[in-house]
Amino acid sequence: MVGEFRRTAVLVPLVDGGLLTAVHGGIRWIHTFTDEAALARFTRLKGATPGEEWEYAALLGARLLDVVVPQVDGPAGVAVNAADEDGSMLFPPVRGIVPDAAAVDADMEIGGAERDGGAR
């Protein structure tokens, strides 16, 4: 799933000059959508009227995980299609998904050896 996400362009809503995010469980989640229909379902849940336009950018998943997430102040992950019961996904800020420097588990022990990955 991570590899497919990295190769896929997703839609990221823009709000007040930045990306649409929400904080849950101490993690800032960047909202992304696989297509305009998924984005429209989300905006309706947030109270948007039908036909209301939302500005968005199309970004590769790899760019979000490798470039954007490390620039966020504090732990950050990516939420895909948050309004959909089926087909929604979360990519949390852990090793193997985001760079070690942005991973919350980077300083945990691995195979009996402590690893210092520079987690924030």
Side-chain angles (χ1 to χ4, degrees), residues 6 8 22-23 26 31 40 44 49 59 62 64 72 91 98 106 109 111 120:
R6 295 178 67 74
T8 301
V23 176
H31 286 287
R44 282 193 298 277
T49 57
L59 299 172
L64 281 168
V72 175
F91 293 96
V98 300
E109 277 192 31
R120 294 182 265 161

Side-chain angles (χ1 to χ4, degrees), residues 24-82:
H24 182 74
I27 297 174
R28 179 162 303 279
W29 296 98
I30 301 167
H31 286 287
T32 68
F33 302 90
T34 54
D35 55 34
E36 288 181 339
L39 174 57
R41 287 189 295 276
F42 177 82
T43 61
R44 282 193 298 277
L45 283 176
K46 293 296 181 184
T49 57
E52 183 177 340
E53 291 188 17
W54 280 52
E55 184 179 1
Y56 62 84
L59 299 172
L60 280 176
R63 183 165 177 80
L64 281 168
L65 296 174
D66 296 342
V67 177
V68 176
V69 164
Q71 292 178 356
V72 175
D73 187 25
V78 176
V80 181
N81 294 343

